[in-house]
């Protein structure tokens, strides 16, 4: 049982380049989330999805776009990478959107923007 | 303003030396709190959910407790494999509030 899988695990980009991070879950969860984790800070929500074909903005959505074309996949895109987007990105999923449901996290993508 | 503070930021223990980690919060309409463990290079791993003041949960050497204003994660006779960052996430009806974690290092 893989749970939540993120690809790639590491990536280095130059400023202005674009890329897409992929998240896949095999738990049939409805809700999926993208977070960023920076040193000394808690997780911050970028975007989330309440189901296939739907997305919504979180706390820090600027500079990112997302898509959820299939229930099991949630993509995070950076159109024009900036050094401020250097971070570790985590994808998570949960059975429902109720806050009493614990989220299941992937192992992260470590992204450096030069 | 709703906020979460975890203390200490880092804790170094000798193997077998028990201690406690603190998560204090001001969250309106608190419904519960999660504790997670995060190993280096990994994502957070779910440990406990606590729903009401006075509740306790245990798992191996860990025991989590909850009051109206704070939660404690007690670690009894820790082992080196307990070294990790421990994260608390109180939540209300609308959202989670993510603490920045306590990094625990247990030396043999």
């Amino acid at each position: 049982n893989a749970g939540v899988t993120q690809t790639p695990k590491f990536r280095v980009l130059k400023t202005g380049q674009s890329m897409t991070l992929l998240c896949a879950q095999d738990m049939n969860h409805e809700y999926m989330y993208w977070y960023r984790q920076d040193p000394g800070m808690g997780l911050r929500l970028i975007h989330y999805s309440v189901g296939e074909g739907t997305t919504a903005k979180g706390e820090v959505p600027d500079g990112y776009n997302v898509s959820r074309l299939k229930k099991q996949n949630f993509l995070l895109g950076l159109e024009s990478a900036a050094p401020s987007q250097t971070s570790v990105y985590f994808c998570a999923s949960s059975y429902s959107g109720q806050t009493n449901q614990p989220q299941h996290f992937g192992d992260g993508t470590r992204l450096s923007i030069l | 303003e709703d906020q979460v503070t975890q203390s200490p930021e880092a804790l170094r223990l000798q193997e077998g030396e028990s201690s406690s980690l603190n998560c204090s919060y001001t969250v309106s309409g608190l419904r519960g709190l999660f504790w997670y463990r995060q190993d280096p290079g990994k994502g957070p791993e779910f440990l406990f959910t606590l729903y009401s003041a006075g509740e306790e949960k245990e798992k191996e050497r860990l025991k989590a407790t909850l009051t109206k204003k704070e939660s404690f994660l007690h670690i009894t006779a820790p082992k080196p494999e307990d070294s990790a960052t421990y994260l608390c996430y109180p939540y209300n009806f609308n959202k989670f509030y993510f603490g920045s974690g306590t990094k625990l290092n247990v030396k043999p």
Side-chain angles (χ1 to χ4, degrees):
Chain A
N1 186 358
V4 178
T5 303
Q6 294 183 233
T7 54
K9 296 187 183 305
F10 304 92
R11 187 72 184 268
V12 179
L13 290 179
K14 294 182 179 179
T15 298
Q17 288 185 318
S18 63
M19 78 161 296
T20 301
L21 310 184
L22 173 64
C23 176
Q25 54 95 4
D26 62 2
M27 296 172 284
N28 202 34
H29 285 170
E30 289 293 334
Y31 282 66
M32 296 186 75
Y33 312 82
W34 276 107
Y35 294 94
R36 60 179 289 172
Q37 187 178 47
D38 298 296
M41 300 182 70
L43 290 168
R44 291 185 291 170
L45 182 63
I46 304 171
H47 285 280
Y48 64 100
S49 169
V50 304
E52 182 178 321
T54 68
T55 63
K57 294 180 179 180
E59 300 173 59
V60 289
D62 293 342
Y64 305 96
N65 57 75
V66 289
S67 64
R68 185 134 179 237
L69 300 179
K70 294 183 179 181
K71 184 177 182 178
Q72 64 268 34
N73 295 337
F74 195 28
L75 278 64
L76 177 71
L78 286 73
E79 292 183 344
S80 180
S84 61
Q85 293 177 306
T86 293
S87 188
V88 181
Y89 291 86
F90 286 101
C91 175
S93 70
S94 62
Y95 178 72
S96 76
Q98 294 186 39
T99 50
N100 63 354
Q101 294 289 318
Q103 296 180 7
H104 300 263
F105 288 85
D107 284 338
T109 294
R110 282 140 192 86
L111 182 62
S112 292
I113 315 295
L114 304 179
Chain B
E1 180 182 350
D2 296 330
Q3 61 179 11
V4 182
T5 303
Q6 290 191 245
S7 60
E9 291 186 9
L11 180 62
R12 176 178 290 187
L13 299 174
Q14 288 296 127
E15 184 172 3
E17 179 187 3
S18 301
S19 188
S20 296
L21 314 182
N22 177 261
C23 172
S24 63
Y25 45 83
T26 52
V27 172
S28 56
L30 181 77
R31 294 185 69 205
L33 180 143
F34 297 121
W35 278 100
Y36 279 77
R37 168 190 172 126
Q38 186 174 17
D39 293 300
K42 299 291 186 179
E45 177 184 352
F46 172 71
L47 290 174
F48 305 110
T49 308
L50 300 168
Y51 294 104
S52 58
E55 186 176 4
E56 298 183 352
K57 293 275 180 73
E58 290 190 57
K59 181 179 181 179
E60 296 181 358
R61 294 173 294 281
L62 302 177
K63 183 170 77 172
T65 62
L66 184 68
T67 72
K68 290 186 178 180
K69 297 289 187 182
E70 57 191 350
S71 178
F72 291 94
L73 185 65
H74 306 278
I75 303 176
T76 302
K79 298 181 178 182
E81 53 262 42
D82 294 321
S83 296
T85 296
Y86 291 87
L87 304 159
C88 74
Y89 300 157
Y91 61 89
N92 57 21
F93 185 78
N94 295 315
K95 64 180 291 187
F96 303 99
Y97 297 86
F98 294 103
S100 57
T102 293
K103 186 175 183 179
L104 175 65
N105 186 6
V106 182
K107 294 290 190 181

